[in-house]
Amino acid sequence: MIQTVILGNGNLGTHLCQAFEKSKHINLLQNYNRKGKLIHNCTVPVTSNISKIAMAEVYILAFNDSALYELSAFKNLDGLVVHTSGATSLEVLNSFANYGVFYPVQSFKANVPVIFTEVPIAIEANSAVSEKILVHLARAISNKVSVINSSQRKALHLAAVFANNFSNFMYTQALDICIKNNINFDVIKPLISATITKLENTTPDKLQTGPAIRNDKKTINEHLILLENEAQNKLYHQLTKAIQDYYGKEL
Amino acid sequence: MIQTVILGNGNLGTHLCQAFEKSKHINLLQNYNRKGKLIHNCTVPVTSNISKIAMAEVYILAFNDSALYELSAFKNLDGLVVHTSGATSLEVLNSFANYGVFYPVQSFKANVPVIFTEVPIAIEANSAVSEKILVHLARAISNKVSVINSSQRKALHLAAVFANNFSNFMYTQALDICIKNNINFDVIKPLISATITKLENTTPDKLQTGPAIRNDKKTINEHLILLENEAQNKLYHQLTKAIQDYYGKEL
């Protein structure tokens, strides 16, 4: 049983407390949060007093990224101290003797249940011993644990911007077009979820379809004429060109 | 029971035959395809002889888009003749007395099962009578039937380019970054599917996260430095700017 304290009661802190409490391999000793609030659906003791934080093997800082640069109040934590941020350097914790990163690659909402066994957790640590403890801890709640280095974690965060933020913006454009044309966006949703289903068995580069990759100039021109919104028109043009450049077609 | 003949045995033709044969409200009389091939998992009689196509109330042309411009061989079809293409005009069929569009908004693969009740079907017809028949036919297999006009169908197809083709290209960029950094793409997939789950309860414009909308210049600059591939760097820059313009932030 790994003796653990979780600091923070935001979306991630809450979900981690719930998952850790259920695990047979983890002993969740305590949650620290500034207001001393109890954790929803969790019996873990809570403190708001930094000097009363329990002695533990691992301290998980489930704080906002910005809070990770102001850790002086926690300097006396004596154990393996880890943060949970994809974008923050490991070295932000180098004032501690043992430190690491425990990065669940997922976005969390407090009230939406999470199946943690399916959440990838990327581990990084300042030593082989710390790494081993963190892998052990991560495997207690997830079946998808990997050890990555700092440059991989940065790349992973960058890949997530494309896969999550940029793709979501594409859905927003589709929504916009639907609203303007009095089409229910629900008509589009099955197309989106079908892509996800297909990704289970293949890679996205093999799933590319549409007028750009077909170099279907007739449809592309019709679409550019339809797109009266200047920003959207430009985006369509840029993305069509990017797809054609990627797949080696001429616009 | 609507007497129906389906022409074509591609991905969509095959799935439609299977779904129509199961419906209590449809009598699938025949499939026509050039080679007279039997339809997988379907007992419908098949012909390759255009002059032996059965008399029916509705003829569904499940052909490729380009084949819809070469229909002279089928000019004697006597009934309601409809195509299944999102991008093709209704008027391509105006040599028939009664015509329409029966557009399932989904991409099909022959060997991947489809739950047709969940596939949106967009209907368009040259008359109120034809429209009524097509709505009836569509409702026999799907719970998501809508009647749209030509300009809506064009807009729907355009929205699908953003929601499907362009978003898929974002996944490809993420895959690319993963491969270059020796990261398993499976680590990214749960992030993608989580977006889809969230779209069940909200719209994508409310789900936008990431460095662009936060105007997090530090991360944006780090990402642009990481992106040594010129095309990818440009794309990141263009999309970041597009998101910031959309949400009214300065780059």
Side-chain angles (χ1 to χ4, degrees):
Chain A
M1 298 266 280
I2 306 174
Q3 314 292 319
T4 311
V5 169
I6 293 174
L7 296 88
N9 66 338
N11 291 331
L12 178 59
T14 299
H15 279 297
L16 280 180
C17 282
Q18 293 164 351
F20 278 23
E21 191 165 78
K22 280 183 202 137
S23 168
K24 290 173 189 168
H25 304 286
I26 300 172
N27 184 9
L28 178 62
L29 300 172
Q30 194 184 46
N31 177 271
Y32 160 85
N33 65 78
R34 268 190 300 173
K35 295 187 176 168
K37 279 193 176 175
L38 293 176
I39 304 294
H40 186 66
N41 275 340
C42 201
T43 64
V44 66
V46 171
T47 183
S48 62
N49 187 335
I50 293 178
S51 65
K52 296 207 172 150
I53 292 175
M55 290 284 286
E57 203 173 346
V58 182
Y59 295 93
I60 298 200
L61 310 179
F63 293 155
N64 289 335
D65 290 8
S66 57
L68 295 175
Y69 295 91
E70 299 154 12
L71 292 174
S72 55
F74 299 95
K75 66 183 177 201
N76 292 327
L77 291 182
D78 185 16
L80 172 51
V81 180
V82 305
H83 74 63
T84 55
S85 162
T88 307
S89 154
L90 169 67
E91 294 308 320
V92 75
L93 301 178
N94 66 11
S95 62
F96 297 98
N98 295 299
Y99 52 101
V101 181
F102 184 95
Y103 170 39
V105 189
Q106 188 54 278
S107 51
F108 295 91
K109 291 212 162 195
N111 300 321
V112 182
V114 173
I115 302 163
F116 246 107
T117 48
E118 297 302 310
V119 174
I121 299 179
I123 295 299
E124 192 182 344
N126 77 317
S127 73
V129 175
S130 299
E131 183 183 298
K132 200 171 171 185
I133 295 169
L134 290 181
V135 167
H136 196 60
L137 188 69
R139 284 196 182 143
I141 59 167
S142 166
N143 297 326
K144 299 182 173 178
V145 179
S146 55
V147 175
I148 61 177
N149 60 38
S150 274
S151 84
Q152 283 177 314
R153 189 157 46 81
K154 278 184 186 172
L156 184 55
H157 188 248
L158 173 59
V161 168
F162 278 96
N164 189 356
N165 307 152
F166 289 166
S167 65
N168 185 72
F169 191 60
M170 299 300 119
Y171 301 150
T172 298
Q173 303 312 304
L175 171 69
D176 223 70
I177 294 165
C178 285
I179 290 172
K180 276 179 195 154
N181 291 277
N182 203 20
I183 299 164
N184 190 329
F185 185 61
D186 285 350
V187 177
I188 291 288
K189 287 182 189 173
L191 260 183
I192 298 175
S193 48
T195 306
I196 310 308
T197 309
K198 287 176 197 160
L199 283 181
E200 285 167 20
N201 300 309
T202 187
T203 50
D205 54 327
K206 295 183 185 72
L207 288 176
Q208 191 64 44
T209 56
I213 193 172
R214 283 200 313 272
N215 197 19
D216 175 352
K217 287 176 185 164
K218 184 171 169 287
T219 303
I220 292 168
N221 286 332
E222 281 174 10
H223 284 171
L224 288 171
I225 290 165
L226 272 179
L227 285 165
E228 290 175 357
N229 176 310
E230 200 183 324
Q232 238 166 22
N233 189 295
K234 193 172 164 187
L235 194 59
Y236 185 102
H237 189 84
Q238 288 170 338
L239 286 162
T240 295
K241 184 155 176 10
I243 292 171
Q244 299 199 328
D245 285 349
Y246 186 88
Y247 289 96
K249 306 239 170 183
E250 269 179 41
L251 192 59
Chain B
M1 297 266 280
I2 306 173
Q3 315 292 318
T4 311
V5 168
I6 292 174
L7 296 88
N9 66 337
N11 291 331
L12 178 59
T14 299
H15 279 297
L16 280 179
C17 282
Q18 291 164 351
F20 278 22
E21 189 165 79
K22 280 183 201 138
S23 168
K24 290 173 189 169
H25 303 287
I26 300 172
N27 184 9
L28 179 61
L29 301 172
Q30 194 184 47
N31 177 270
Y32 159 85
N33 66 77
R34 269 189 299 172
K35 294 188 176 169
K37 280 195 175 173
L38 293 176
I39 303 294
H40 186 66
N41 274 341
C42 200
T43 64
V44 66
V46 171
T47 184
S48 62
N49 186 335
I50 294 179
S51 65
K52 294 205 172 153
I53 292 175
M55 291 283 288
E57 204 173 345
V58 182
Y59 296 92
I60 298 198
L61 310 178
F63 293 155
N64 289 334
D65 290 9
S66 56
L68 296 174
Y69 296 92
E70 300 153 11
L71 293 173
S72 56
F74 299 94
K75 66 183 177 198
N76 292 326
L77 292 182
D78 185 17
L80 172 51
V81 180
V82 305
H83 73 62
T84 55
S85 162
T88 308
S89 154
L90 169 66
E91 295 307 320
V92 76
L93 300 177
N94 66 11
S95 62
F96 298 99
N98 295 298
Y99 53 101
V101 181
F102 184 96
Y103 169 38
V105 189
Q106 188 53 277
S107 51
F108 295 91
K109 292 211 162 197
N111 300 322
V112 182
V114 172
I115 302 164
F116 247 107
T117 48
E118 297 302 310
V119 174
I121 299 179
I123 295 299
E124 193 183 344
N126 76 316
S127 72
V129 174
S130 299
E131 182 183 299
K132 200 171 171 183
I133 295 168
L134 291 180
V135 167
H136 196 60
L137 188 70
R139 284 196 182 143
I141 60 168
S142 166
N143 296 327
K144 299 184 173 176
V145 179
S146 55
V147 175
I148 61 176
N149 59 38
S150 276
S151 83
Q152 283 177 314
R153 189 156 47 80
K154 279 184 187 171
L156 183 54
H157 187 247
L158 173 59
V161 168
F162 278 96
N164 189 354
N165 307 151
F166 289 165
S167 65
N168 185 72
F169 191 60
M170 300 300 116
Y171 302 149
T172 298
Q173 303 313 305
L175 171 69
D176 223 69
I177 294 165
C178 285
I179 290 172
K180 275 177 195 153
N181 291 279
N182 203 18
I183 299 164
N184 189 330
F185 186 60
D186 285 349
V187 178
I188 291 289
K189 287 182 188 173
L191 261 184
I192 298 175
S193 48
T195 308
I196 310 306
T197 308
K198 287 177 196 157
L199 282 182
E200 284 168 22
N201 300 310
T202 186
T203 51
D205 53 327
K206 296 183 185 73
L207 289 175
Q208 191 64 44
T209 56
I213 194 172
R214 283 201 313 271
N215 198 18
D216 175 353
K217 286 175 186 164
K218 181 170 170 288
T219 303
I220 292 168
N221 286 333
E222 281 174 9
H223 284 170
L224 287 171
I225 290 165
L226 272 179
L227 285 166
E228 289 175 359
N229 176 310
E230 199 182 326
Q232 238 167 21
N233 189 295
K234 192 172 166 187
L235 194 59
Y236 185 101
H237 189 85
Q238 288 170 337
L239 286 162
T240 296
K241 183 155 178 11
I243 291 171
Q244 299 199 329
D245 286 348
Y246 186 90
Y247 288 97
K249 307 237 171 182
E250 268 178 45
L251 191 58

